[in-house]
Amino acid sequence: MSDASIEAVQLWREELKLCKVGPGQTVAILAPGGDAMQDRAQGFLAAALELGADAYVVTLPGPRMELYGLGSTPLTGRPQVIELLKGADLIVDLVLLLFSKEQLELQAAGCRVLLCVEPLPILQRLLPTPELKERVLAAAADLEKAKRMHITSDAGTDVEFELGHYPILVEYGFADEPGRWDHFPGGFLATHGSDDGVNGTVVLDTGDVLLLPQMRYVEDPIGLTIENGYVTKIEGKGLDAVFMLDFLPSQDEDREAWAVSHIGWGLNREARWSMHNVPGEFGMNQRAFWGNVQFSTGPNTELGGTRETPYHLDIPMRNCSLWLDDKQVLDKGKVVVPEYA
Ligand code: FE
Protein backbone atom coordinates (compact mmCIF):
# COMPACT_ATOMS: atom_id res chain seq x y z
CA MET A 1 0.00 0.00 0.00
CA SER A 2 1.32 3.45 -0.90
CA ASP A 3 2.08 6.07 1.75
CA ALA A 4 -0.19 8.40 -0.25
CA SER A 5 -3.15 5.97 -0.37
CA ILE A 6 -6.50 6.85 1.18
CA GLU A 7 -5.79 4.52 4.11
CA ALA A 8 -2.35 6.06 4.70
CA VAL A 9 -3.71 9.63 4.52
CA GLN A 10 -6.29 8.66 7.16
CA LEU A 11 -3.48 7.45 9.40
CA TRP A 12 -1.41 10.62 8.87
CA ARG A 13 -4.53 12.67 9.66
CA GLU A 14 -5.08 10.85 12.98
CA GLU A 15 -1.41 11.34 13.87
CA LEU A 16 -1.51 15.04 12.93
CA LYS A 17 -4.64 15.47 15.08
CA LEU A 18 -2.72 14.06 18.03
CA CYS A 19 -0.05 16.68 17.18
CA LYS A 20 -2.76 19.39 17.49
CA VAL A 21 -2.68 20.32 13.81
CA GLY A 22 -5.70 22.31 12.64
CA PRO A 23 -6.76 25.65 11.18
CA GLY A 24 -4.21 28.40 11.73
CA GLN A 25 -1.29 25.96 11.98
CA THR A 26 1.57 25.64 9.48
CA VAL A 27 3.03 22.21 8.79
CA ALA A 28 6.37 21.84 7.00
CA ILE A 29 7.11 18.39 5.66
CA LEU A 30 10.80 17.71 5.25
CA ALA A 31 11.52 15.06 2.62
CA PRO A 32 14.78 13.63 1.32
CA GLY A 33 15.64 13.69 -2.38
CA GLY A 34 14.82 10.61 -4.41
CA ASP A 35 11.67 8.55 -4.46
CA ALA A 36 11.79 6.91 -1.05
CA MET A 37 9.67 9.38 0.95
CA GLN A 38 7.81 11.28 -1.79
CA ASP A 39 4.56 9.37 -1.33
CA ARG A 40 4.69 9.88 2.43
CA ALA A 41 5.38 13.61 1.96
CA GLN A 42 2.37 13.92 -0.35
CA GLY A 43 0.26 11.86 2.06
CA PHE A 44 1.10 14.13 5.01
CA LEU A 45 0.48 17.19 2.82
CA ALA A 46 -3.00 15.95 1.94
CA ALA A 47 -3.75 15.09 5.58
CA ALA A 48 -2.59 18.48 6.89
CA LEU A 49 -4.64 20.35 4.28
CA GLU A 50 -7.71 18.24 5.10
CA LEU A 51 -7.34 19.34 8.72
CA GLY A 52 -7.43 22.99 7.64
CA ALA A 53 -3.75 23.71 8.23
CA ASP A 54 -1.40 25.41 5.79
CA ALA A 55 1.26 22.95 4.66
CA TYR A 56 4.17 22.58 2.29
CA VAL A 57 6.88 20.08 1.39
CA VAL A 58 10.59 20.91 1.38
CA THR A 59 12.64 18.37 -0.53
CA LEU A 60 16.29 18.39 0.42
CA PRO A 61 18.66 16.50 -1.84
CA GLY A 62 21.54 14.93 -0.04
CA PRO A 63 22.13 11.46 1.28
CA ARG A 64 19.53 10.22 3.73
CA MET A 65 21.28 9.96 7.04
CA GLU A 66 22.55 6.51 7.87
CA LEU A 67 22.84 5.24 11.40
CA TYR A 68 26.59 5.34 10.99
CA GLY A 69 26.50 9.11 10.55
CA LEU A 70 24.34 10.65 13.26
CA GLY A 71 24.69 14.39 13.56
CA SER A 72 25.06 15.48 9.95
CA THR A 73 21.81 15.97 8.05
CA PRO A 74 20.49 17.44 4.79
CA LEU A 75 19.93 20.68 6.77
CA THR A 76 23.62 20.98 7.60
CA GLY A 77 25.02 24.01 5.79
CA ARG A 78 21.58 25.28 4.71
CA PRO A 79 20.84 28.11 7.17
CA GLN A 80 18.32 29.73 4.81
CA VAL A 81 16.14 26.59 4.91
CA ILE A 82 16.39 26.48 8.71
CA GLU A 83 15.16 30.08 8.87
CA LEU A 84 12.21 29.18 6.63
CA LEU A 85 11.33 26.16 8.80
CA LYS A 86 11.30 28.25 11.98
CA GLY A 87 8.03 29.71 10.73
CA ALA A 88 6.34 26.29 10.90
CA ASP A 89 4.38 25.10 13.94
CA LEU A 90 5.05 21.43 13.18
CA ILE A 91 7.86 19.92 11.13
CA VAL A 92 7.25 16.39 9.89
CA ASP A 93 10.74 14.95 9.66
CA LEU A 94 11.16 12.31 6.97
CA VAL A 95 14.94 12.84 6.65
CA LEU A 96 16.06 11.90 10.21
CA LEU A 97 17.31 15.05 11.93
CA LEU A 98 17.91 13.15 15.17
CA PHE A 99 20.98 14.16 17.18
CA SER A 100 21.63 17.18 14.95
CA LYS A 101 22.30 20.78 15.97
CA GLU A 102 19.77 21.84 13.35
CA GLN A 103 16.97 19.93 15.06
CA LEU A 104 17.84 21.45 18.44
CA GLU A 105 17.84 24.93 16.87
CA LEU A 106 14.37 24.36 15.42
CA GLN A 107 13.03 23.08 18.74
CA ALA A 108 14.54 26.07 20.54
CA ALA A 109 12.61 28.29 18.11
CA GLY A 110 9.41 26.59 19.31
CA CYS A 111 8.85 24.23 16.38
CA ARG A 112 7.28 20.88 17.18
CA VAL A 113 9.14 18.09 15.37
CA LEU A 114 7.63 14.72 14.48
CA LEU A 115 9.98 12.06 13.18
CA CYS A 116 8.21 9.51 11.00
CA VAL A 117 10.45 7.03 9.25
CA GLU A 118 9.03 3.60 10.10
CA PRO A 119 7.38 1.69 7.25
CA LEU A 120 3.61 2.06 6.92
CA PRO A 121 2.63 -1.47 8.10
CA ILE A 122 4.36 -0.87 11.45
CA LEU A 123 2.77 2.56 11.91
CA GLN A 124 -0.70 1.26 11.07
CA ARG A 125 -0.39 -1.14 14.01
CA LEU A 126 1.11 1.39 16.38
CA LEU A 127 -0.88 4.64 16.13
CA PRO A 128 -0.26 6.19 19.57
CA THR A 129 -3.07 7.20 21.93
CA PRO A 130 -3.65 9.76 24.70
CA GLU A 131 -3.64 6.77 27.09
CA LEU A 132 -0.06 5.92 26.05
CA LYS A 133 0.91 9.55 26.73
CA GLU A 134 -0.58 9.37 30.23
CA ARG A 135 1.32 6.22 31.11
CA VAL A 136 4.64 7.49 29.74
CA LEU A 137 4.21 10.77 31.66
CA ALA A 138 3.40 8.88 34.87
CA ALA A 139 6.60 6.89 34.48
CA ALA A 140 8.54 10.09 33.73
CA ALA A 141 7.31 11.61 37.00
CA ASP A 142 8.90 8.68 38.87
CA LEU A 143 12.12 8.86 36.86
CA GLU A 144 12.34 12.61 37.48
CA LYS A 145 12.39 12.10 41.27
CA ALA A 146 14.89 9.24 41.33
CA LYS A 147 18.51 9.64 42.36
CA ARG A 148 19.62 6.16 41.36
CA MET A 149 18.64 3.40 38.92
CA HIS A 150 19.63 -0.22 39.52
CA ILE A 151 19.17 -2.90 36.85
CA THR A 152 19.68 -6.63 37.25
CA SER A 153 18.98 -9.82 35.30
CA ASP A 154 19.41 -13.56 35.71
CA ALA A 155 21.86 -13.36 32.77
CA GLY A 156 24.24 -11.39 34.98
CA THR A 157 23.41 -7.73 34.46
CA ASP A 158 24.03 -5.68 37.60
CA VAL A 159 24.53 -2.02 36.86
CA GLU A 160 23.87 1.28 38.63
CA PHE A 161 23.16 4.69 37.16
CA GLU A 162 23.50 7.91 39.16
CA LEU A 163 20.57 10.06 38.05
CA GLY A 164 19.50 13.68 38.22
CA HIS A 165 22.00 15.38 35.93
CA TYR A 166 20.08 15.13 32.65
CA PRO A 167 16.55 15.82 31.49
CA ILE A 168 14.15 13.03 30.58
CA LEU A 169 13.30 12.05 27.03
CA VAL A 170 9.61 11.24 26.95
CA GLU A 171 8.45 9.49 23.77
CA TYR A 172 4.72 9.00 23.56
CA GLY A 173 4.56 9.24 19.80
CA PHE A 174 3.24 12.70 18.99
CA ALA A 175 4.51 16.28 19.12
CA ASP A 176 1.76 18.31 20.76
CA GLU A 177 3.66 21.02 22.68
CA PRO A 178 5.85 23.90 21.42
CA GLY A 179 9.48 22.78 21.03
CA ARG A 180 8.57 19.13 21.54
CA TRP A 181 10.24 16.39 19.48
CA ASP A 182 8.69 12.94 19.21
CA HIS A 183 8.87 9.84 17.10
CA PHE A 184 5.78 8.11 15.69
CA PRO A 185 5.00 5.54 17.22
CA GLY A 186 6.92 6.07 20.53
CA GLY A 187 6.14 4.52 23.88
CA PHE A 188 9.22 4.68 26.07
CA LEU A 189 11.25 7.07 28.20
CA ALA A 190 14.94 7.58 28.87
CA THR A 191 17.53 9.73 30.55
CA HIS A 192 21.29 9.59 31.04
CA GLY A 193 23.26 8.60 34.09
CA SER A 194 25.70 11.28 35.20
CA ASP A 195 28.82 11.32 33.01
CA ASP A 196 31.05 9.35 35.38
CA GLY A 197 28.21 7.78 37.40
CA VAL A 198 27.47 4.49 35.62
CA ASN A 199 29.16 1.38 36.98
CA GLY A 200 28.71 -2.38 36.85
CA THR A 201 28.10 -5.13 34.35
CA VAL A 202 25.61 -5.45 31.51
CA VAL A 203 25.12 -8.91 30.01
CA LEU A 204 23.31 -8.99 26.68
CA ASP A 205 21.42 -12.25 26.65
CA THR A 206 19.80 -14.39 23.96
CA GLY A 207 16.94 -12.39 22.47
CA ASP A 208 18.22 -8.93 23.39
CA VAL A 209 18.46 -6.64 20.39
CA LEU A 210 21.47 -4.89 18.92
CA LEU A 211 20.14 -2.01 16.84
CA LEU A 212 23.18 -1.87 14.64
CA PRO A 213 22.68 -0.47 11.15
CA GLN A 214 21.20 -3.91 10.53
CA MET A 215 19.06 -5.08 13.44
CA ARG A 216 20.39 -8.18 15.12
CA TYR A 217 18.86 -10.39 17.80
CA VAL A 218 21.60 -11.54 20.17
CA GLU A 219 22.10 -15.31 20.22
CA ASP A 220 25.30 -15.65 22.23
CA PRO A 221 25.71 -13.53 25.39
CA ILE A 222 27.95 -10.47 25.38
CA GLY A 223 29.40 -9.12 28.63
CA LEU A 224 30.03 -5.38 28.98
CA THR A 225 32.14 -4.04 31.81
CA ILE A 226 31.20 -0.46 32.68
CA GLU A 227 33.40 1.86 34.68
CA ASN A 228 32.72 5.53 35.42
CA GLY A 229 30.32 5.98 32.53
CA TYR A 230 32.26 4.08 29.88
CA VAL A 231 32.19 0.56 28.54
CA THR A 232 35.74 -0.60 29.10
CA LYS A 233 35.53 -4.23 28.02
CA ILE A 234 33.36 -6.24 25.61
CA GLU A 235 33.56 -9.99 25.99
CA GLY A 236 31.78 -12.79 24.21
CA LYS A 237 32.61 -15.93 22.31
CA GLY A 238 29.83 -15.71 19.70
CA LEU A 239 29.30 -13.85 16.46
CA ASP A 240 27.27 -11.12 18.19
CA ALA A 241 30.29 -9.83 20.09
CA VAL A 242 32.24 -9.86 16.81
CA PHE A 243 29.54 -7.69 15.19
CA MET A 244 29.50 -5.26 18.08
CA LEU A 245 33.27 -4.92 18.10
CA ASP A 246 33.34 -4.49 14.33
CA PHE A 247 30.77 -1.68 14.54
CA LEU A 248 32.71 0.27 17.17
CA PRO A 249 35.98 2.11 16.52
CA SER A 250 38.75 1.37 19.02
CA GLN A 251 38.66 3.20 22.36
CA ASP A 252 41.77 5.14 21.25
CA GLU A 253 40.17 6.25 17.99
CA ASP A 254 36.89 7.46 19.54
CA ARG A 255 36.48 7.14 23.29
CA GLU A 256 32.95 8.60 23.21
CA ALA A 257 31.76 5.74 21.02
CA TRP A 258 32.28 3.58 24.13
CA ALA A 259 30.40 5.91 26.47
CA VAL A 260 27.15 4.78 28.05
CA SER A 261 24.31 6.76 26.47
CA HIS A 262 20.60 6.90 27.36
CA ILE A 263 18.86 4.45 29.67
CA GLY A 264 15.15 3.82 30.13
CA TRP A 265 12.31 1.38 29.63
CA GLY A 266 9.54 0.52 27.16
CA LEU A 267 5.81 1.01 27.82
CA ASN A 268 4.18 0.34 24.46
CA ARG A 269 1.78 -2.58 24.86
CA GLU A 270 1.17 -2.86 21.11
CA ALA A 271 4.84 -2.96 20.08
CA ARG A 272 6.15 -6.46 19.44
CA TRP A 273 9.69 -7.60 20.15
CA SER A 274 9.33 -10.34 17.55
CA MET A 275 7.99 -8.15 14.75
CA HIS A 276 10.91 -8.04 12.40
CA ASN A 277 11.77 -8.25 8.70
CA VAL A 278 9.55 -5.42 7.53
CA PRO A 279 11.63 -3.86 4.71
CA GLY A 280 13.14 -0.51 5.73
CA GLU A 281 12.19 -0.84 9.40
CA PHE A 282 13.85 1.43 11.97
CA GLY A 283 13.26 -0.81 15.00
CA MET A 284 10.60 1.02 17.02
CA ASN A 285 8.82 -2.25 17.86
CA GLN A 286 12.04 -3.34 19.50
CA ARG A 287 12.81 0.01 21.17
CA ALA A 288 9.36 0.47 22.67
CA PHE A 289 8.00 -2.97 23.54
CA TRP A 290 6.46 -3.18 27.00
CA GLY A 291 8.92 -3.99 29.79
CA ASN A 292 12.19 -3.80 27.89
CA VAL A 293 15.17 -1.98 29.37
CA GLN A 294 16.73 0.08 26.65
CA PHE A 295 20.44 0.42 27.25
CA SER A 296 22.53 2.36 24.76
CA THR A 297 26.02 3.56 23.94
CA GLY A 298 27.54 6.63 22.30
CA PRO A 299 26.51 10.31 22.23
CA ASN A 300 24.57 12.28 24.84
CA THR A 301 24.23 15.57 22.97
CA GLU A 302 20.51 15.09 22.38
CA LEU A 303 19.82 15.61 26.08
CA GLY A 304 22.34 18.40 26.51
CA GLY A 305 25.58 16.49 27.11
CA THR A 306 28.94 17.10 25.45
CA ARG A 307 29.79 13.60 24.21
CA GLU A 308 29.80 13.70 20.43
CA THR A 309 30.30 10.61 18.31
CA PRO A 310 28.59 9.20 15.22
CA TYR A 311 28.47 5.72 16.79
CA HIS A 312 25.19 5.11 18.59
CA LEU A 313 23.79 1.73 19.58
CA ASP A 314 20.33 1.21 21.07
CA ILE A 315 20.17 -2.11 22.89
CA PRO A 316 16.73 -3.19 24.16
CA MET A 317 17.07 -5.96 26.75
CA ARG A 318 14.48 -8.47 27.87
CA ASN A 319 13.79 -9.97 31.30
CA CYS A 320 15.49 -7.26 33.34
CA SER A 321 14.45 -5.98 36.76
CA LEU A 322 14.75 -2.25 37.40
CA TRP A 323 14.57 -0.14 40.55
CA LEU A 324 14.38 3.64 40.92
CA ASP A 325 15.91 4.18 44.36
CA ASP A 326 13.91 1.62 46.40
CA LYS A 327 10.88 1.46 44.12
CA GLN A 328 10.72 -1.54 41.82
CA VAL A 329 9.52 -0.62 38.33
CA LEU A 330 10.26 -3.79 36.34
CA ASP A 331 10.35 -7.38 37.49
CA LYS A 332 12.04 -9.67 34.95
CA GLY A 333 10.71 -7.75 31.97
CA LYS A 334 7.26 -6.92 33.39
CA VAL A 335 6.17 -3.42 34.37
CA VAL A 336 4.95 -3.65 37.98
CA VAL A 337 3.87 -0.09 38.75
CA PRO A 338 0.07 -0.03 38.32
CA GLU A 339 -0.06 3.64 37.17
CA TYR A 340 1.93 2.86 34.05
CA ALA A 341 1.81 -0.91 33.63
FE1 FE B 1 19.11 5.95 20.98
Side-chain angles (χ1 to χ4, degrees), residues 99 262 294 312 314:
F99 290 114
H262 53 80
Q294 195 189 143
H312 181 50
D314 284 340

Side-chain angles (χ1 to χ4, degrees), residues 17 65 68 106 116 125 133 158 179 183 188 212 219-220 226 261 272 275 283 294 327:
K17 275 200 241 169
M65 195 166 61
Y68 273 115
L106 291 167
C116 182
R125 281 198 64 252
K133 173 179 175 178
D158 190 345
H183 186 177
F188 65 86
L212 292 160
E219 291 182 25
D220 303 304
I226 296 168
S261 184
R272 288 286 170 271
M275 200 175 207
Q294 195 189 143
K327 178 172 184 168

Side-chain angles (χ1 to χ4, degrees), residues 70 98-99 169 171 188 190 261-262 287 294-297 299 302 312-315:
L70 291 176
L98 193 55
F99 290 114
L169 177 70
E171 287 196 26
F188 65 86
S261 184
H262 53 80
R287 283 181 178 83
Q294 195 189 143
F295 175 78
S296 76
T297 58
E302 201 194 27
H312 181 50
L313 279 180
D314 284 340
I315 309 176

Side-chain angles (χ1 to χ4, degrees), residues 80-198:
Q80 71 283 22
V81 182
I82 296 172
E83 287 311 310
L84 168 80
L85 292 173
K86 283 181 184 171
D89 297 292
L90 177 75
I91 297 167
V92 178
D93 173 16
L94 309 181
V95 304
L96 203 54
L97 299 177
L98 193 55
F99 290 114
S100 68
K101 293 185 178 71
E102 294 79 17
Q103 178 182 304
L104 295 175
E105 188 181 336
L106 291 167
Q107 288 177 257
C111 299
R112 318 196 290 278
V113 182
L114 178 74
L115 176 64
C116 182
V117 291
E118 279 285 22
L120 184 62
I122 293 178
L123 297 175
Q124 284 178 310
R125 281 198 64 252
L126 296 180
L127 180 68
T129 61
E131 185 265 352
L132 178 65
K133 173 179 175 178
E134 266 175 42
R135 287 196 295 113
V136 178
L137 289 180
D142 271 358
L143 183 53
E144 185 102 56
K145 285 182 289 197
K147 297 270 179 289
R148 201 174 62 97
M149 183 189 290
H150 184 204
I151 302 165
T152 64
S153 75
D154 288 349
T157 293
D158 190 345
V159 63
E160 271 205 26
F161 288 73
E162 243 178 58
L163 300 177
H165 294 81
Y166 284 96
I168 296 172
L169 177 70
V170 180
E171 287 196 26
Y172 49 76
F174 43 99
D176 56 349
E177 305 287 345
R180 173 171 175 75
W181 171 89
D182 211 319
H183 186 177
F184 183 7
F188 65 86
L189 69 164
T191 187
H192 290 280
S194 61
D195 284 356
D196 58 357
V198 187

Side-chain angles (χ1 to χ4, degrees), residues 243-267:
F243 265 96
M244 193 171 176
L245 284 163
D246 183 74
F247 171 78
L248 291 169
S250 73
Q251 296 186 55
D252 291 341
E253 271 173 89
D254 185 350
R255 185 166 187 247
E256 307 304 358
W258 288 63
V260 175
S261 184
H262 53 80
I263 185 74
W265 66 94
L267 289 168

